Structure formats: structure tokens, C-alpha cells
Amino acid sequence: MGSLDGKVAIVTGAAQGIGAAIARRLAADNARVVIGDLNLQGSSKVAEECGHGAFALKLDVGDPESVGDFYNEVEAKAGHPDILVNNAAIVPFIAWDEVDFDHWRMIMRVNLDGVFLMCRAGSDRMRIEGTKGRIVNICSNTIFAGTPNMAAYVAAKGGVLGLTRSLATELGGHKITVNAVAPGLTASEGVLDSPHKEAFDFVEMLQAVKGKGTPDDIAPIVAFLASDEAHWITGQTINVDAGMVRW
Ligand SMILES: NC(=O)c1ccc[n+]([C@@H]2O[C@H](COP(=O)([O-])OP(=O)(O)OC[C@H]3O[C@@H](n4cnc5c(N)ncnc54)[C@H](O)[C@@H]3O)[C@@H](O)[C@H]2O)c1
């Protein structure tokens, strides 16, 4: 018996990093996990590790057609989703002087439009009597810190916080909760492959609890917010960053 017995849980962007840790954790709690990611090879490998009937499908969260096809396939293979974790995002490192409209749109398309498209279609499918739908959006503590070299990203994640609050209101009547988790700097494959990896020492200096954040530090709060037990929490954004941001 796990706390997510009988639940179907979609996790986007789970071919690696924080998403993969979330997928593994939800599966350990007995959810049937469906991974949607651009990287089908990586996500199929994670689905195999998850077990419990997990499977992976190719998905571009920023493309309405891809999102529609994805949900149709999920429905055909696993039925309606109970849990949706919007984790897929591009994590850029780019100086403000180099931010042009193409970059801005590329980030908004995936990091904000993608969350809208997944929630729009996903919440319709959750409005089935008896489904205590759970939506967890992965935000970022950069929205509180105004982290440099990430202007479009920070703006998009601020949008995720706003959407989380408004969707909690829109969907509360259907007993669907909508919350966000805002990680601090976390040693995912994406971060370790970028200039962000140079920031760990500086960030640690600001943390209340010392150490280096890993994807496994983020997954447990997502699993809790996805559980039936968390039914009294909605519209919240929870920082998971060893106390770097205290508000
Ligand atoms: N790692 C951090 O320090 C950190 C901090 C705060 C917030 N976050 C957030 O956590 C989440 C995961 O970050 P990460 O560091 O693990 O990222 P990552 O770069 O390691 O992995 C991102 C995953 O998303 C997938 N993806 C990218 N674009 C996609 C698209 N259009 N459609 C579907 N899948 C797509 C990639 O293929 C990849 O598997 C993101 O929302 C990120 O903004 C990360």
C-alpha cells in the first residue's frame, strides 16, 4: 500500500533531473507514472526504473497539438489523470544584453505556455466525479531572488506562481488542488551542464541549512502535495531551498 495507490500521475520533463526524481518518488508511492518529455529515450529509461506500469510518451509542452495527442494517448493507455506535475522547463543562462525577443518567446513558450496548455487540458480530464485532482507546478526561488542571467525565465516562473493561485480558485469547486514548489539551486543534469554550477558555493552561503540541493530533496514535497492528505492546501508556493529565501 502506498499513499498514491491507484493514481495516474503525469510528470513532464522527467527524462532527467528533478522531474526524474519526482517520477521515481511518485512510483515508489505506488502511482502509475506517465512521463512526457521531448527526450523519449531518456524518459523511457526513467519509466523502466519506476516500474508500476509507468510509461513514457514524446511531448512538447509548448505545442498545443503535441499536448492534445499526449492526453489522448494517456487516456487510451491509462485512463484519466489524477495528478499532473508540470516540471518541464528550459533553464537558461543568458546576459540581459543578449536577451532578444526570440529568446523571450522560446522561454515563455515552454516555461509558461507549456504549463497553461498542460493545465488547460489536464484539468478538464480531472473533472470527473470522485477524482481528487492534484496539480503541482514546479516554480523556482529565482522569482524571489531576482537571480541574474535569467530574466525571461524569472518572468515565466513568476507567471507560474500567478497561474497557480488563480487556478486554485478556478478549480477548487471541483476539489482539484493547485500548488507550486519553488526549488533553489539543485544539482540536476541541466544545471551541472551549465554555468549555473559555478553558483553552488555562493548559494550555500545564503542558505540557512548548509549543503548542495539534489533532485531527491525536491521530490518528497511534490509527493505530499500530490497525495489525498494534502487536500486542505491549495494556491500555495512552497520554497524548497534549505532556507535560502525566507518570506
Ligand atoms: N535545477 C535547479 O537548480 C532548479 C531550480 C529551480 C527550479 N527548477 C525547475 O525545476 C524543473 C526541472 O529542472 P531541472 O534542473 O531538473 O531541468 P533539466 O534541464 O535537468 O531537465 C529538464 C527536462 O525537461 C525536458 N524538456 C525541456 N523542454 C521540454 C518541452 N518543450 N517539452 C517537454 N519536455 C521538455 C528536457 O528534455 C529535460 O528532460 C524546471 O521547471 C526548472 O525550472 C530547477
Side-chain angles (χ1 to χ4, degrees):
M1 250 320 248
S3 59
L4 302 179
D5 252 345
K7 308 279 189 194
V8 172
I10 293 170
V11 187
T12 68
Q16 63 180 45
I18 293 172
I22 293 169
R24 284 192 284 261
R25 173 57 197 256
L26 298 186
D29 287 350
N30 274 1
R32 182 175 189 192
V33 172
V34 184
I35 299 177
D37 198 299
L38 283 174
N39 174 0
L40 188 57
Q41 203 184 354
S43 52
S44 299
K45 196 164 162 277
V46 175
E48 215 175 293
E49 288 161 15
C50 286
H52 291 286
F55 60 96
L57 298 170
K58 188 154 180 145
L59 168 69
D60 177 353
V61 294
D63 174 4
E65 204 178 315
S66 174
V67 170
D69 291 348
F70 173 82
Y71 273 113
N72 288 339
E73 217 169 323
V74 172
E75 199 102 342
K77 284 191 169 153
H80 70 268
D82 302 280
I83 297 162
L84 166 62
V85 182
N86 286 304
N87 167 83
I90 300 171
V91 185
F93 184 100
I94 178 167
W96 170 244
D97 289 351
E98 288 162 31
V99 172
D100 59 15
F101 192 57
D102 285 346
H103 170 81
W104 179 269
R105 277 308 315 148
M106 176 184 76
I107 298 300
M108 290 296 162
R109 176 186 172 279
V110 175
N111 295 12
L112 186 54
D113 298 355
V115 178
F116 161 72
L117 290 169
M118 289 302 293
C119 286
R120 175 67 270 172
S123 62
D124 287 348
R125 286 168 169 85
M126 282 178 182
R127 286 186 215 179
I128 291 168
E129 214 173 328
T131 303
K132 298 168 188 154
R134 299 277 179 266
I135 298 177
V136 184
N137 296 324
I138 304 304
C139 190
S140 167
N141 78 345
T142 57
I143 64 170
F144 304 108
T147 306
N149 299 306
M150 304 188 88
Y153 174 90
V154 173
K157 291 293 185 179
V160 170
L161 180 145
L163 181 63
T164 298
R165 286 183 179 165
S166 61
L167 270 189
T169 312
E170 300 287 356
L171 299 174
H174 301 277
K175 298 215 178 303
I176 299 171
T177 66
V178 188
N179 291 290
V181 168
L185 185 64
T186 305
S188 65
E189 283 91 332
V191 158
L192 294 176
D193 203 25
S194 79
H196 291 296
K197 68 174 183 289
E198 307 301 336
F200 277 102
D201 287 346
F202 175 72
V203 165
E204 184 176 21
M205 202 171 63
L206 303 173
Q207 290 169 198
V209 175
K210 302 303 175 191
K212 189 183 202 177
T214 71
D216 287 335
D217 295 321
I218 311 302
I221 182 69
V222 176
F224 172 66
L225 291 171
S227 72
D228 283 351
E229 267 187 319
H231 73 110
W232 213 233
I233 305 172
T234 195
Q236 305 304 310
T237 295
I238 301 175
N239 282 320
V240 184
D241 64 356
M244 181 190 141
V245 174
R246 280 145 268 175
W247 72 307

Short mmCIF file of all heavy atoms in Angstrom, two decimals, residues 178-243:
data_model
loop_
_atom_site.label_atom_id
_atom_site.label_comp_id
_atom_site.label_asym_id
_atom_site.label_seq_id
_atom_site.Cartn_x
_atom_site.Cartn_y
_atom_site.Cartn_z
N VAL A 178 -4.24 23.04 -6.53
CA VAL A 178 -3.16 23.51 -7.41
C VAL A 178 -2.13 24.23 -6.55
O VAL A 178 -2.43 25.25 -5.92
CB VAL A 178 -3.69 24.48 -8.49
CG1 VAL A 178 -2.59 24.78 -9.51
CG2 VAL A 178 -4.92 23.92 -9.18
N ASN A 179 -0.94 23.68 -6.49
CA ASN A 179 0.13 24.28 -5.69
C ASN A 179 1.41 24.33 -6.52
O ASN A 179 1.51 23.68 -7.57
CB ASN A 179 0.38 23.45 -4.42
CG ASN A 179 -0.78 23.55 -3.45
OD1 ASN A 179 -1.00 24.60 -2.85
ND2 ASN A 179 -1.56 22.48 -3.32
N ALA A 180 2.37 25.10 -6.03
CA ALA A 180 3.67 25.17 -6.71
C ALA A 180 4.78 24.88 -5.71
O ALA A 180 4.66 25.17 -4.52
CB ALA A 180 3.87 26.54 -7.34
N VAL A 181 5.84 24.30 -6.22
CA VAL A 181 7.05 24.05 -5.43
C VAL A 181 8.17 24.86 -6.09
O VAL A 181 8.35 24.80 -7.31
CB VAL A 181 7.38 22.54 -5.43
CG1 VAL A 181 8.78 22.29 -4.87
CG2 VAL A 181 6.33 21.77 -4.64
N ALA A 182 8.87 25.65 -5.28
CA ALA A 182 9.92 26.52 -5.81
C ALA A 182 11.29 26.04 -5.31
O ALA A 182 11.72 26.40 -4.21
CB ALA A 182 9.67 27.96 -5.37
N PRO A 183 11.97 25.22 -6.11
CA PRO A 183 13.29 24.75 -5.68
C PRO A 183 14.32 25.88 -5.71
O PRO A 183 14.19 26.85 -6.47
CB PRO A 183 13.67 23.70 -6.73
CG PRO A 183 12.42 23.41 -7.50
CD PRO A 183 11.59 24.65 -7.41
N GLY A 184 15.34 25.73 -4.88
CA GLY A 184 16.54 26.54 -5.02
C GLY A 184 17.48 25.84 -5.98
O GLY A 184 17.11 24.83 -6.59
N LEU A 185 18.70 26.35 -6.08
CA LEU A 185 19.68 25.75 -6.99
C LEU A 185 19.85 24.26 -6.65
O LEU A 185 20.12 23.90 -5.50
CB LEU A 185 21.03 26.47 -6.85
CG LEU A 185 22.13 26.04 -7.82
CD1 LEU A 185 21.74 26.34 -9.27
CD2 LEU A 185 23.45 26.71 -7.46
N THR A 186 19.66 23.42 -7.66
CA THR A 186 19.61 21.97 -7.47
C THR A 186 20.52 21.29 -8.49
O THR A 186 20.48 21.64 -9.68
CB THR A 186 18.15 21.47 -7.64
OG1 THR A 186 17.31 22.21 -6.76
CG2 THR A 186 18.03 20.00 -7.34
N ALA A 187 21.26 20.32 -8.04
CA ALA A 187 22.24 19.66 -8.92
C ALA A 187 21.57 18.67 -9.87
O ALA A 187 21.69 17.46 -9.73
CB ALA A 187 23.29 18.95 -8.07
N SER A 188 20.84 19.22 -10.85
CA SER A 188 20.25 18.38 -11.90
C SER A 188 21.26 18.28 -13.05
O SER A 188 22.23 19.04 -13.09
CB SER A 188 18.97 19.04 -12.42
OG SER A 188 19.30 20.27 -13.05
N GLU A 189 20.99 17.39 -13.98
CA GLU A 189 21.87 17.29 -15.16
C GLU A 189 21.93 18.63 -15.88
O GLU A 189 23.00 19.07 -16.32
CB GLU A 189 21.36 16.21 -16.13
CG GLU A 189 21.65 14.80 -15.69
CD GLU A 189 20.52 14.21 -14.85
OE1 GLU A 189 19.80 14.99 -14.17
OE2 GLU A 189 20.38 12.98 -14.85
N GLY A 190 20.77 19.29 -16.01
CA GLY A 190 20.71 20.56 -16.73
C GLY A 190 21.61 21.61 -16.09
O GLY A 190 22.37 22.30 -16.79
N VAL A 191 21.55 21.73 -14.77
CA VAL A 191 22.36 22.72 -14.05
C VAL A 191 23.84 22.36 -14.10
O VAL A 191 24.70 23.21 -14.33
CB VAL A 191 21.86 22.87 -12.59
CG1 VAL A 191 22.94 23.44 -11.69
CG2 VAL A 191 20.63 23.77 -12.57
N LEU A 192 24.15 21.08 -13.92
CA LEU A 192 25.55 20.65 -13.88
C LEU A 192 26.23 20.81 -15.24
O LEU A 192 27.44 20.82 -15.35
CB LEU A 192 25.65 19.21 -13.38
CG LEU A 192 25.22 19.02 -11.92
CD1 LEU A 192 25.26 17.55 -11.52
CD2 LEU A 192 26.09 19.86 -10.97
N ASP A 193 25.39 20.96 -16.28
CA ASP A 193 25.90 21.12 -17.64
C ASP A 193 25.89 22.59 -18.06
O ASP A 193 25.96 22.89 -19.25
CB ASP A 193 24.97 20.30 -18.56
CG ASP A 193 25.65 19.92 -19.84
OD1 ASP A 193 26.89 19.85 -19.83
OD2 ASP A 193 24.93 19.73 -20.86
N SER A 194 25.76 23.52 -17.11
CA SER A 194 25.62 24.95 -17.45
C SER A 194 26.46 25.80 -16.49
O SER A 194 26.92 25.30 -15.45
CB SER A 194 24.15 25.35 -17.31
OG SER A 194 23.83 25.56 -15.95
N PRO A 195 26.61 27.09 -16.78
CA PRO A 195 27.37 27.97 -15.87
C PRO A 195 26.72 28.09 -14.49
O PRO A 195 27.37 28.54 -13.54
CB PRO A 195 27.35 29.33 -16.59
CG PRO A 195 27.06 29.02 -18.02
CD PRO A 195 26.21 27.79 -18.02
N HIS A 196 25.46 27.69 -14.34
CA HIS A 196 24.81 27.75 -13.02
C HIS A 196 25.57 26.93 -11.98
O HIS A 196 25.48 27.18 -10.79
CB HIS A 196 23.35 27.24 -13.10
CG HIS A 196 22.45 28.15 -13.87
ND1 HIS A 196 22.16 29.43 -13.46
CD2 HIS A 196 21.77 27.97 -15.03
CE1 HIS A 196 21.35 30.00 -14.33
NE2 HIS A 196 21.09 29.14 -15.30
N LYS A 197 26.30 25.94 -12.45
CA LYS A 197 27.01 25.05 -11.49
C LYS A 197 28.06 25.81 -10.69
O LYS A 197 28.44 25.39 -9.60
CB LYS A 197 27.61 23.84 -12.19
CG LYS A 197 28.77 24.13 -13.13
CD LYS A 197 29.36 22.83 -13.64
CE LYS A 197 30.56 23.03 -14.52
NZ LYS A 197 30.28 23.61 -15.83
N GLU A 198 28.50 26.95 -11.22
CA GLU A 198 29.51 27.75 -10.50
C GLU A 198 28.91 28.47 -9.29
O GLU A 198 29.63 29.05 -8.48
CB GLU A 198 30.13 28.82 -11.43
CG GLU A 198 30.69 28.29 -12.74
CD GLU A 198 31.78 27.25 -12.55
OE1 GLU A 198 32.42 27.25 -11.47
OE2 GLU A 198 31.95 26.41 -13.45
N ALA A 199 27.57 28.47 -9.17
CA ALA A 199 26.91 29.29 -8.14
C ALA A 199 26.67 28.55 -6.83
O ALA A 199 26.18 29.13 -5.86
CB ALA A 199 25.57 29.82 -8.69
N PHE A 200 27.02 27.25 -6.77
CA PHE A 200 26.66 26.48 -5.57
C PHE A 200 27.25 27.05 -4.28
O PHE A 200 26.57 27.12 -3.26
CB PHE A 200 27.03 25.00 -5.73
CG PHE A 200 25.99 24.22 -6.49
CD1 PHE A 200 26.18 23.89 -7.83
CD2 PHE A 200 24.79 23.85 -5.88
CE1 PHE A 200 25.21 23.20 -8.54
CE2 PHE A 200 23.81 23.15 -6.59
CZ PHE A 200 24.02 22.83 -7.92
N ASP A 201 28.51 27.47 -4.32
CA ASP A 201 29.15 27.98 -3.09
C ASP A 201 28.47 29.26 -2.62
O ASP A 201 28.20 29.44 -1.43
CB ASP A 201 30.64 28.24 -3.32
CG ASP A 201 31.42 26.94 -3.41
OD1 ASP A 201 30.84 25.90 -3.03
OD2 ASP A 201 32.57 26.96 -3.87
N PHE A 202 28.17 30.16 -3.56
CA PHE A 202 27.52 31.43 -3.21
C PHE A 202 26.13 31.16 -2.62
O PHE A 202 25.76 31.72 -1.59
CB PHE A 202 27.41 32.32 -4.46
CG PHE A 202 26.64 33.58 -4.21
CD1 PHE A 202 27.20 34.61 -3.44
CD2 PHE A 202 25.36 33.77 -4.72
CE1 PHE A 202 26.49 35.78 -3.20
CE2 PHE A 202 24.64 34.92 -4.48
CZ PHE A 202 25.21 35.93 -3.71
N VAL A 203 25.40 30.28 -3.27
CA VAL A 203 24.03 29.97 -2.81
C VAL A 203 24.08 29.32 -1.41
O VAL A 203 23.27 29.64 -0.55
CB VAL A 203 23.31 29.07 -3.84
CG1 VAL A 203 22.07 28.43 -3.26
CG2 VAL A 203 22.96 29.89 -5.08
N GLU A 204 25.06 28.44 -1.21
CA GLU A 204 25.17 27.78 0.09
C GLU A 204 25.38 28.80 1.21
O GLU A 204 24.85 28.66 2.31
CB GLU A 204 26.32 26.76 0.07
CG GLU A 204 26.40 25.98 1.38
CD GLU A 204 27.47 24.90 1.35
OE1 GLU A 204 28.40 24.99 0.52
OE2 GLU A 204 27.37 23.97 2.17
N MET A 205 26.12 29.86 0.89
CA MET A 205 26.39 30.91 1.87
C MET A 205 25.07 31.56 2.33
O MET A 205 24.92 31.96 3.47
CB MET A 205 27.26 31.97 1.19
CG MET A 205 28.06 32.85 2.10
SD MET A 205 29.19 33.81 1.07
CE MET A 205 28.07 34.76 0.06
N LEU A 206 24.09 31.63 1.43
CA LEU A 206 22.81 32.27 1.74
C LEU A 206 21.81 31.32 2.41
O LEU A 206 20.82 31.75 2.99
CB LEU A 206 22.16 32.82 0.45
CG LEU A 206 22.99 33.81 -0.35
CD1 LEU A 206 22.30 34.13 -1.67
CD2 LEU A 206 23.21 35.10 0.44
N GLN A 207 22.07 30.01 2.31
CA GLN A 207 21.13 29.01 2.85
C GLN A 207 21.19 28.98 4.38
O GLN A 207 22.26 29.10 4.97
CB GLN A 207 21.47 27.62 2.31
CG GLN A 207 21.18 27.43 0.85
CD GLN A 207 21.76 26.16 0.26
OE1 GLN A 207 21.89 26.05 -0.94
NE2 GLN A 207 22.12 25.19 1.09
N ALA A 208 20.03 28.74 5.02
CA ALA A 208 20.01 28.54 6.47
C ALA A 208 20.62 27.18 6.82
O ALA A 208 21.35 27.05 7.79
CB ALA A 208 18.57 28.62 6.98
N VAL A 209 20.29 26.18 6.01
CA VAL A 209 20.85 24.83 6.21
C VAL A 209 21.90 24.64 5.11
O VAL A 209 21.62 24.86 3.93
CB VAL A 209 19.73 23.76 6.08
CG1 VAL A 209 20.32 22.36 6.17
CG2 VAL A 209 18.67 23.96 7.16
N LYS A 210 23.11 24.25 5.49
CA LYS A 210 24.20 24.18 4.51
C LYS A 210 24.18 22.86 3.74
O LYS A 210 23.71 21.83 4.25
CB LYS A 210 25.55 24.36 5.21
CG LYS A 210 25.66 25.68 5.98
CD LYS A 210 25.43 26.91 5.11
CE LYS A 210 25.43 28.19 5.90
NZ LYS A 210 24.96 29.34 5.12
N GLY A 211 24.71 22.90 2.53
CA GLY A 211 24.75 21.70 1.70
C GLY A 211 24.41 22.05 0.26
O GLY A 211 24.20 23.22 -0.07
N LYS A 212 24.36 21.01 -0.59
CA LYS A 212 24.10 21.19 -2.02
C LYS A 212 22.80 20.48 -2.38
O LYS A 212 22.69 19.26 -2.17
CB LYS A 212 25.27 20.57 -2.78
CG LYS A 212 25.31 20.83 -4.25
CD LYS A 212 26.50 20.07 -4.83
CE LYS A 212 26.95 20.65 -6.14
NZ LYS A 212 28.14 19.97 -6.67
N GLY A 213 21.81 21.22 -2.87
CA GLY A 213 20.50 20.64 -3.18
C GLY A 213 20.57 19.61 -4.29
O GLY A 213 21.26 19.82 -5.30
N THR A 214 19.86 18.50 -4.11
CA THR A 214 19.80 17.46 -5.15
C THR A 214 18.33 17.25 -5.54
O THR A 214 17.42 17.59 -4.77
CB THR A 214 20.36 16.12 -4.62
OG1 THR A 214 19.42 15.60 -3.66
CG2 THR A 214 21.72 16.29 -3.97
N PRO A 215 18.08 16.65 -6.70
CA PRO A 215 16.70 16.37 -7.12
C PRO A 215 15.90 15.59 -6.07
O PRO A 215 14.71 15.84 -5.88
CB PRO A 215 16.88 15.58 -8.41
CG PRO A 215 18.14 16.13 -9.00
CD PRO A 215 19.04 16.35 -7.80
N ASP A 216 16.56 14.69 -5.34
CA ASP A 216 15.84 13.91 -4.32
C ASP A 216 15.39 14.78 -3.15
O ASP A 216 14.55 14.35 -2.35
CB ASP A 216 16.72 12.77 -3.81
CG ASP A 216 16.84 11.66 -4.83
OD1 ASP A 216 15.94 11.53 -5.68
OD2 ASP A 216 17.86 10.93 -4.81
N ASP A 217 15.94 15.98 -3.00
CA ASP A 217 15.48 16.88 -1.93
C ASP A 217 14.16 17.55 -2.31
O ASP A 217 13.44 18.07 -1.45
CB ASP A 217 16.53 17.99 -1.67
CG ASP A 217 17.82 17.41 -1.11
OD1 ASP A 217 17.74 16.48 -0.29
OD2 ASP A 217 18.90 17.88 -1.51
N ILE A 218 13.85 17.58 -3.59
CA ILE A 218 12.64 18.29 -4.08
C ILE A 218 11.44 17.33 -4.14
O ILE A 218 10.30 17.71 -3.90
CB ILE A 218 12.89 18.90 -5.48
CG1 ILE A 218 14.23 19.70 -5.51
CG2 ILE A 218 11.73 19.77 -5.92
CD1 ILE A 218 14.35 20.82 -4.52
N ALA A 219 11.71 16.08 -4.49
CA ALA A 219 10.63 15.12 -4.78
C ALA A 219 9.63 14.88 -3.62
O ALA A 219 8.42 14.79 -3.87
CB ALA A 219 11.22 13.80 -5.25
N PRO A 220 10.08 14.79 -2.35
CA PRO A 220 9.12 14.43 -1.29
C PRO A 220 7.97 15.43 -1.11
O PRO A 220 6.83 15.03 -0.87
CB PRO A 220 9.99 14.37 -0.02
CG PRO A 220 11.37 14.16 -0.51
CD PRO A 220 11.46 14.86 -1.84
N ILE A 221 8.24 16.72 -1.25
CA ILE A 221 7.17 17.71 -1.06
C ILE A 221 6.16 17.62 -2.22
O ILE A 221 4.96 17.81 -2.03
CB ILE A 221 7.73 19.15 -0.89
CG1 ILE A 221 6.61 20.17 -0.64
CG2 ILE A 221 8.54 19.59 -2.08
CD1 ILE A 221 5.94 20.04 0.67
N VAL A 222 6.67 17.27 -3.40
CA VAL A 222 5.76 17.10 -4.54
C VAL A 222 4.85 15.90 -4.27
O VAL A 222 3.63 15.96 -4.49
CB VAL A 222 6.56 16.91 -5.86
CG1 VAL A 222 5.61 16.65 -7.02
CG2 VAL A 222 7.44 18.14 -6.13
N ALA A 223 5.44 14.82 -3.76
CA ALA A 223 4.65 13.62 -3.46
C ALA A 223 3.59 13.94 -2.40
O ALA A 223 2.44 13.47 -2.50
CB ALA A 223 5.56 12.50 -2.98
N PHE A 224 3.95 14.73 -1.41
CA PHE A 224 2.96 15.07 -0.38
C PHE A 224 1.82 15.91 -0.98
O PHE A 224 0.63 15.62 -0.76
CB PHE A 224 3.61 15.84 0.78
CG PHE A 224 2.60 16.37 1.76
CD1 PHE A 224 1.83 15.50 2.53
CD2 PHE A 224 2.36 17.73 1.86
CE1 PHE A 224 0.86 15.98 3.40
CE2 PHE A 224 1.38 18.22 2.73
CZ PHE A 224 0.64 17.34 3.50
N LEU A 225 2.17 16.93 -1.75
CA LEU A 225 1.12 17.79 -2.34
C LEU A 225 0.24 17.01 -3.32
O LEU A 225 -0.91 17.40 -3.56
CB LEU A 225 1.76 19.00 -3.04
CG LEU A 225 2.41 20.02 -2.10
CD1 LEU A 225 3.21 21.06 -2.89
CD2 LEU A 225 1.36 20.72 -1.21
N ALA A 226 0.77 15.91 -3.85
CA ALA A 226 0.01 15.07 -4.79
C ALA A 226 -0.90 14.07 -4.07
O ALA A 226 -1.72 13.41 -4.69
CB ALA A 226 0.96 14.32 -5.70
N SER A 227 -0.74 13.97 -2.76
CA SER A 227 -1.48 12.93 -2.02
C SER A 227 -2.87 13.42 -1.58
O SER A 227 -3.13 14.62 -1.54
CB SER A 227 -0.67 12.52 -0.78
OG SER A 227 -0.71 13.56 0.19
N ASP A 228 -3.73 12.48 -1.23
CA ASP A 228 -5.07 12.83 -0.71
C ASP A 228 -4.95 13.65 0.56
O ASP A 228 -5.76 14.55 0.81
CB ASP A 228 -5.88 11.56 -0.42
CG ASP A 228 -6.42 10.93 -1.69
OD1 ASP A 228 -6.30 11.56 -2.76
OD2 ASP A 228 -6.92 9.80 -1.62
N GLU A 229 -3.95 13.32 1.37
CA GLU A 229 -3.75 14.01 2.67
C GLU A 229 -3.60 15.52 2.54
O GLU A 229 -3.90 16.26 3.47
CB GLU A 229 -2.47 13.48 3.32
CG GLU A 229 -2.68 12.34 4.26
CD GLU A 229 -1.39 12.01 4.99
OE1 GLU A 229 -0.32 12.03 4.34
OE2 GLU A 229 -1.46 11.75 6.18
N ALA A 230 -3.12 15.98 1.38
CA ALA A 230 -2.84 17.42 1.19
C ALA A 230 -4.07 18.19 0.70
O ALA A 230 -3.94 19.29 0.18
CB ALA A 230 -1.68 17.59 0.22
N HIS A 231 -5.28 17.62 0.89
CA HIS A 231 -6.48 18.20 0.29
C HIS A 231 -6.80 19.61 0.82
O HIS A 231 -7.56 20.35 0.21
CB HIS A 231 -7.68 17.28 0.54
CG HIS A 231 -8.18 17.30 1.95
ND1 HIS A 231 -9.38 17.85 2.32
CD2 HIS A 231 -7.61 16.85 3.10
CE1 HIS A 231 -9.54 17.73 3.63
NE2 HIS A 231 -8.48 17.13 4.12
N TRP A 232 -6.21 20.01 1.96
CA TRP A 232 -6.55 21.29 2.59
C TRP A 232 -5.53 22.38 2.22
O TRP A 232 -5.54 23.46 2.78
CB TRP A 232 -6.65 21.09 4.10
CG TRP A 232 -7.66 21.94 4.79
CD1 TRP A 232 -7.44 22.76 5.87
CD2 TRP A 232 -9.06 22.09 4.50
NE1 TRP A 232 -8.59 23.40 6.25
CE2 TRP A 232 -9.61 23.00 5.43
CE3 TRP A 232 -9.91 21.52 3.52
CZ2 TRP A 232 -10.96 23.37 5.42
CZ3 TRP A 232 -11.25 21.89 3.51
CH2 TRP A 232 -11.76 22.80 4.45
N ILE A 233 -4.65 22.07 1.32
CA ILE A 233 -3.61 23.03 0.90
C ILE A 233 -3.81 23.32 -0.59
O ILE A 233 -3.74 22.40 -1.42
CB ILE A 233 -2.19 22.44 1.08
CG1 ILE A 233 -1.97 21.97 2.51
CG2 ILE A 233 -1.12 23.47 0.68
CD1 ILE A 233 -0.67 21.20 2.70
N THR A 234 -4.06 24.58 -0.94
CA THR A 234 -4.13 24.92 -2.36
C THR A 234 -3.77 26.38 -2.57
O THR A 234 -3.90 27.21 -1.66
CB THR A 234 -5.52 24.55 -2.96
OG1 THR A 234 -5.42 24.58 -4.39
CG2 THR A 234 -6.63 25.47 -2.48
N GLY A 235 -3.27 26.67 -3.78
CA GLY A 235 -2.90 28.04 -4.12
C GLY A 235 -1.57 28.48 -3.52
O GLY A 235 -1.23 29.66 -3.58
N GLN A 236 -0.80 27.54 -2.98
CA GLN A 236 0.44 27.89 -2.27
C GLN A 236 1.68 27.64 -3.15
O GLN A 236 1.67 26.77 -4.01
CB GLN A 236 0.57 27.06 -0.99
CG GLN A 236 -0.63 27.15 -0.07
CD GLN A 236 -0.94 28.60 0.32
OE1 GLN A 236 -0.07 29.33 0.74
NE2 GLN A 236 -2.20 28.99 0.15
N THR A 237 2.71 28.40 -2.86
CA THR A 237 4.02 28.16 -3.48
C THR A 237 5.02 27.94 -2.35
O THR A 237 5.19 28.81 -1.49
CB THR A 237 4.44 29.36 -4.35
OG1 THR A 237 3.51 29.47 -5.44
CG2 THR A 237 5.84 29.18 -4.92
N ILE A 238 5.63 26.77 -2.33
CA ILE A 238 6.50 26.40 -1.22
C ILE A 238 7.96 26.37 -1.67
O ILE A 238 8.31 25.65 -2.60
CB ILE A 238 6.08 25.01 -0.66
CG1 ILE A 238 4.62 25.10 -0.19
CG2 ILE A 238 7.01 24.56 0.47
CD1 ILE A 238 4.03 23.81 0.27
N ASN A 239 8.77 27.19 -1.02
CA ASN A 239 10.20 27.19 -1.32
C ASN A 239 10.85 25.94 -0.75
O ASN A 239 10.64 25.62 0.43
CB ASN A 239 10.90 28.39 -0.67
CG ASN A 239 10.66 29.66 -1.45
OD1 ASN A 239 10.68 29.65 -2.67
ND2 ASN A 239 10.42 30.74 -0.75
N VAL A 240 11.63 25.27 -1.57
CA VAL A 240 12.39 24.10 -1.10
C VAL A 240 13.84 24.38 -1.46
O VAL A 240 14.33 24.02 -2.53
CB VAL A 240 11.85 22.81 -1.76
CG1 VAL A 240 12.57 21.59 -1.19
CG2 VAL A 240 10.35 22.68 -1.53
N ASP A 241 14.51 25.13 -0.57
CA ASP A 241 15.83 25.67 -0.92
C ASP A 241 16.74 25.82 0.30
O ASP A 241 17.61 26.70 0.33
CB ASP A 241 15.66 27.03 -1.63
CG ASP A 241 15.04 28.10 -0.73
OD1 ASP A 241 14.66 27.77 0.42
OD2 ASP A 241 14.96 29.26 -1.15
N ALA A 242 16.52 24.96 1.31
CA ALA A 242 17.35 24.99 2.53
C ALA A 242 17.31 26.37 3.19
O ALA A 242 18.27 26.79 3.82
CB ALA A 242 18.79 24.58 2.22
N GLY A 243 16.19 27.07 3.00
CA GLY A 243 16.02 28.36 3.67
C GLY A 243 16.81 29.49 3.05
O GLY A 243 17.08 30.50 3.71
#
